């Protein structure tokens, strides 16, 4: 329920894996060697009054707090779905653009606090936190919200709730973290909406992207999952398959949402978490809930009623079998899943992925 990145983890997300390894390793190194932590403090007074511009770069790369590093790493892991969906170059361009924009917005917010409240902010939280908060903008706009269950009968829990909880934990970790979060959200909104053509001004050049692809990608690449076979897949087919898998992820989320609503009408929820609704049996998902008991006057009717065919013997479309076989499943498993799900390819795919 926590991860919204699907079953592939960091597959096709080398930049996210590199950020996780490098930033976490540097944070641990500075924790072991505390004498060098002063070089990476995000001191706003030193930047504005003593023109130490290098602190603007060093203070916004490495976290000096292990708790902030842990929360930001969890968020980067969940946000790597955007790197798989849009590509490493577009994802890195988003991080680079929001990094520069949030740096300027930090100065404006510090000056606004000094002007409105007559309070000088000396230091801000360090690390790559503003670009992480900026990723909440596409996360909120493009990831579908699917209710999973309810706590105490009134508080809904969705597939995105725990990600927001981690962001809230990061927001409350230090007194001035709200300034960093606000600058990240504003910069993410400006870059995502392409205000003033920012996406054409702040981007990673093609030559730099290709250089990093040849040098760094072999170091941080993740092996392909066993469920996906690259045999016979050209570049165009690979892209089409990737887009089809992303679309299928969204369809599965919507199918789970509709199934949760149908189960909620069938029976009331008992307890804080309805585990039967989270993991329903596939062969009982499509039973007709409106099928009522026969009335007394109907029992005396001598005319025989035709009975509905069993789901296991329902015909299976060969097109759907071919789609599942192309995704890497065997023909026998595909036939069994389609029969059990009454030829619903979304639920059949969900069953095969979970088993």
């Amino acid at each position: 329920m926590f991860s919204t990145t699907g079953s592939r983890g960091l597959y096709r997300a080398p930049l996210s894996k590199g950020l996780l390894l490098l930033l976490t390793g540097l944070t641990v190194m500075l924790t072991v060697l505390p004498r060098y932590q002063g070089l990476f403090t995000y001191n706003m007074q030193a930047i504005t009054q003593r023109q130490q511009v290098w602190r603007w770069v060093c203070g916004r790369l490495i976290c000096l707090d292990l708790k902030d590093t842990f929360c930001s790493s969890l968020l980067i892991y969940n946000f790597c779905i955007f790197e798989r969906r849009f590509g490493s170059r577009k994802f890195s361009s988003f991080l680079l653009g929001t990094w520069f924009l949030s740096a300027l917005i930090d100065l404006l917010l510090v000056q606004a606090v000094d002007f409105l409240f007559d309070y000088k902010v000396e230091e801000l939280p360090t690390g790559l936190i503003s670009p992480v908060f900026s990723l909440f903008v596409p996360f909120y706009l493009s990831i579908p919200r699917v209710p999973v269950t309810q706590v105490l009968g009134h508080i809904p829990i969705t597939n995105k709730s725990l990600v927001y909880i981690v962001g809230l934990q990061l927001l409350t970790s230090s007194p001035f973290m709200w300034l960093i979060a606000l600058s990240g959200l504003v910069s993410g909104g400006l870059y995502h909406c392409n205000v003033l053509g920012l996406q054409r001004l702040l981007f990673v050049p093609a030559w730099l992207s290709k250089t990093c692809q040849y040098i760094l990608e072999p170091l941080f690449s993740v092996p392909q999952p066993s469920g996906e076979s690259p045999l016979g897949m050209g570049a165009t087919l690979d892209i089409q398959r990737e887009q089809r898998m992303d679309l299928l992820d969204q369809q599965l989320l919507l199918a789970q949402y509709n199934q949760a609503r149908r189960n909620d009408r069938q029976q009331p929820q008992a307890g804080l978490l309805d585990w039967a609704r989270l993991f329903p049996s596939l062969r009982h998902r499509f039973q007709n809930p409106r099928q009522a008991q026969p009335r007394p006057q109907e029992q005396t009717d001598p005319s025989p009623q035709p009975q509905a065919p069993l789901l296991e013997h329902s015909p299976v479309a060969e097109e759907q079998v071919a789609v599942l076989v192309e995704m890497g499943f065997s023909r026998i498993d595909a036939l069994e899943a389609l029969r059990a799900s009454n030829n619903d390819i979304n639920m059949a795919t969900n069953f095969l992925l979970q088993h």
Side-chain angles (χ1 to χ4, degrees):
M1 184 176 64
F2 177 76
S3 178
T4 59
T5 57
S7 61
R8 288 170 286 178
L10 292 173
Y11 173 60
R12 298 180 65 89
L15 178 60
S16 300
K17 182 180 179 181
L19 290 176
L20 290 175
L21 295 178
L22 292 178
L23 298 182
T24 304
L26 291 175
T27 300
V28 174
M29 185 182 301
L30 289 177
T31 304
V32 177
L33 303 173
R35 67 176 69 180
Y36 299 104
Q37 290 185 359
L39 298 176
F40 297 92
T41 57
Y42 194 15
N43 195 323
M44 300 300 299
Q45 298 301 321
I47 295 174
T48 56
Q49 296 179 4
R50 296 192 291 271
Q51 288 76 42
Q52 296 181 356
V53 185
W54 57 272
R55 290 188 179 273
W56 213 356
V57 178
C58 297
R60 306 183 76 252
L61 289 179
I62 305 174
C63 287
L64 299 180
D65 191 348
L66 288 177
K67 182 176 64 176
D68 294 346
T69 303
F70 178 75
C71 293
S72 59
S73 298
L74 287 178
L75 293 175
I76 291 175
Y77 177 78
N78 279 269
F79 291 151
C80 71
I81 185 176
F82 298 115
E83 183 178 2
R84 285 202 307 270
R85 183 171 298 181
F86 303 119
S88 298
R89 183 188 176 189
K90 190 173 182 180
F91 182 70
S92 60
S93 298
F94 184 89
L95 294 179
L96 179 65
T98 54
W99 189 89
F100 278 107
L101 289 176
S102 59
L104 298 176
I105 296 174
D106 286 345
L107 289 178
L108 296 178
L109 291 177
V110 169
Q111 297 298 327
V113 171
D114 189 11
F115 177 77
L116 295 176
F117 304 103
D118 195 18
Y119 183 85
K120 293 185 179 298
V121 180
E122 295 184 358
E123 292 185 4
L124 289 177
T126 61
L128 199 71
I129 300 178
S130 292
V132 171
F133 274 108
S134 67
L135 288 170
F136 274 101
V137 176
F139 180 76
Y140 175 79
L141 296 177
S142 61
I143 301 300
R145 177 179 176 270
V146 179
V148 176
T149 185
Q150 289 185 349
V151 178
L152 301 178
H154 300 284
I155 304 175
I157 301 296
T158 68
N159 60 320
K160 302 165 65 175
S161 297
L162 291 181
V163 179
Y164 290 131
I165 291 175
V166 175
L168 182 62
Q169 175 64 35
L170 183 60
L171 178 64
T172 57
S173 61
S174 61
F176 294 105
M177 184 64 75
W178 65 272
L179 285 174
I180 300 294
L182 182 59
S183 66
L185 293 175
V186 173
S187 61
L190 294 176
Y191 196 88
H192 181 76
C193 298
N194 196 21
V195 177
L196 300 177
L198 290 173
Q199 295 182 7
R200 282 186 267 178
L201 296 176
L202 301 174
F203 64 94
V204 176
W207 63 268
L208 181 60
S209 176
K210 292 182 179 179
T211 303
C212 295
Q213 180 180 0
Y214 287 114
I215 298 178
L216 299 180
E217 186 173 356
L219 299 176
F220 300 110
S221 60
V222 177
Q224 191 175 22
S226 58
E228 299 183 7
S229 176
L231 297 178
M233 300 291 290
T236 304
L237 294 178
D238 193 14
I239 294 175
Q240 293 177 356
R241 184 175 184 177
E242 186 70 23
Q243 293 175 352
R244 187 167 61 249
M245 290 298 296
D246 292 335
L247 180 61
L248 184 60
D249 288 340
Q250 296 181 1
Q251 293 176 353
L252 289 177
L253 291 175
L254 294 177
Q256 292 175 3
Y257 168 65
N258 295 330
Q259 182 62 32
R261 292 185 60 184
R262 287 196 295 266
N263 290 342
D264 195 21
R265 297 193 191 101
Q266 292 180 16
Q267 56 183 0
Q269 181 177 346
L272 296 181
L273 296 177
D274 190 0
W275 300 106
R277 193 171 73 178
L278 292 178
F279 305 98
S281 176
L282 182 62
R283 296 182 181 271
H284 296 284
R285 284 178 177 173
F286 292 90
Q287 289 182 351
N288 190 3
R290 300 179 181 178
Q291 198 172 20
Q293 296 294 333
R295 298 178 182 178
Q297 59 271 20
E298 295 177 351
Q299 294 180 358
T300 59
D301 191 0
S303 60
Q305 298 291 337
Q307 297 192 2
L310 295 177
L311 296 180
E312 288 78 357
H313 300 284
S314 58
V316 178
E318 289 296 329
E319 294 81 3
Q320 297 178 348
V321 177
V323 171
L324 294 177
V325 172
E326 183 184 357
M327 292 171 58
F329 304 111
S330 64
R331 179 177 176 83
I332 298 178
D333 294 339
L335 289 172
E336 182 181 357
L338 287 172
R339 291 195 185 100
S341 61
N342 197 18
N343 292 326
D344 191 307
I345 190 171
N346 295 329
M347 302 306 300
T349 308
N350 190 17
F351 173 77
L352 292 173
L353 291 174
Q354 293 179 357
H355 297 77

